[in-house]
Amino acid sequence: MNLRVIRVDKNNLPKEDSPFKTYCFKELAATDSWESSHVFNEIYNKRFLFVIFKEIEPKLFVLDSIKFWGFQDRQLEEIQRVWQETRQIIFDGVKLTQNGNKVSTNFPQSKINRILFTKLHATNTYYEKGKFVGKGSLSDTDELPDGRRITKHSFWMPKKFIKEILDGNWD
């Protein structure tokens, strides 16, 4: 069971995307079997308990409801595609693009992937691009198969998708 504590605004829009635990880049790239993958075992194959807290005034949230939910077979193709695309990017070599002190990657993003996407999972970022860039430390990173170190990442559910779940669109 995955427990998700969700804070929603007055319009029932979740305040943020919902992360899963970080994954190891090398392990994700090396896992060929969908049924033994991190995404299958920790995300797709589990039920969710959403505990929803609603904002009744700025920064004041009260328990509103709970919801049990699980991914459906009709969502399998997109989830597998995001998993496979993420694996392929890691295997082929993550592209790092630096803009000032910020670094972006070519991982699947929420603008394109409406059910699941990949993004960093750390407060402080730290990327090795010839030299280290960011305010984080080595402990905020994981090693890529090519030996570079970048900020730890995880899979996330976009807040718009969570709203659809809470609204009953995926029951």
Side-chain angles (χ1 to χ4, degrees):
M1 171 92 41
N2 269 315
L3 173 65
R4 298 280 152 206
V5 177
I6 306 294
R7 296 178 312 140
V8 298
D9 64 18
K10 293 178 182 179
N11 298 317
N12 292 326
L13 180 65
K15 291 284 196 177
E16 57 257 333
D17 300 320
S18 184
F20 294 96
K21 69 179 187 175
T22 60
Y23 54 77
C24 174
F25 295 116
K26 289 179 179 180
E27 182 180 307
L28 186 67
T31 305
D32 293 329
S33 167
W34 165 245
E35 287 79 16
S36 61
S37 73
H38 168 83
V39 174
F40 180 82
N41 290 311
E42 297 297 322
I43 301 171
Y44 179 75
N45 202 30
K46 288 198 175 172
R47 302 269 306 148
F48 290 79
L49 170 60
F50 290 101
V51 180
I52 300 102
F53 287 86
K54 190 166 190 168
E55 188 172 35
I56 57 171
E57 57 185 68
K59 299 186 180 184
L60 178 61
F61 294 85
V62 297
L63 179 63
D64 183 62
S65 60
I66 63 167
K67 180 173 183 128
F68 287 99
W69 182 82
F71 280 105
Q72 301 169 4
D73 290 342
R74 62 186 168 145
Q75 297 159 325
L76 175 64
E77 189 175 312
E78 182 173 344
I79 295 168
Q80 272 186 303
R81 182 189 51 75
V82 171
W83 167 72
Q84 185 59 40
E85 185 178 335
T86 303
R87 286 183 66 242
Q88 195 63 49
I89 289 168
I90 294 168
F91 186 76
D92 292 344
V94 177
K95 292 183 181 137
L96 302 178
T97 306
Q98 188 173 348
N99 186 2
N101 284 336
K102 295 193 178 219
V103 177
S104 62
T105 67
N106 57 326
F107 283 122
Q109 298 180 359
S110 64
K111 293 176 185 175
I112 299 166
N113 303 286
R114 60 182 288 229
I115 295 177
L116 193 71
F117 69 102
T118 301
K119 80 174 188 181
L120 58 93
H121 192 123
T123 303
N124 297 314
T125 60
Y126 202 51
Y127 292 91
E128 184 177 13
K129 191 170 194 275
K131 61 178 181 142
F132 283 103
V133 177
K135 296 179 182 176
S137 65
L138 203 57
S139 65
D140 296 316
T141 69
D142 186 37
E143 187 176 9
L144 293 167
D146 65 10
R148 293 179 297 162
R149 298 192 71 88
I150 66 171
T151 305
K152 294 176 184 175
H153 281 63
S154 65
F155 290 99
W156 294 66
M157 279 195 302
K159 62 185 176 183
K160 290 179 182 177
F161 177 63
I162 295 169
K163 180 173 181 3
E164 291 175 7
I165 294 168
L166 299 180
D167 288 347
N169 297 345
W170 290 101
D171 292 345

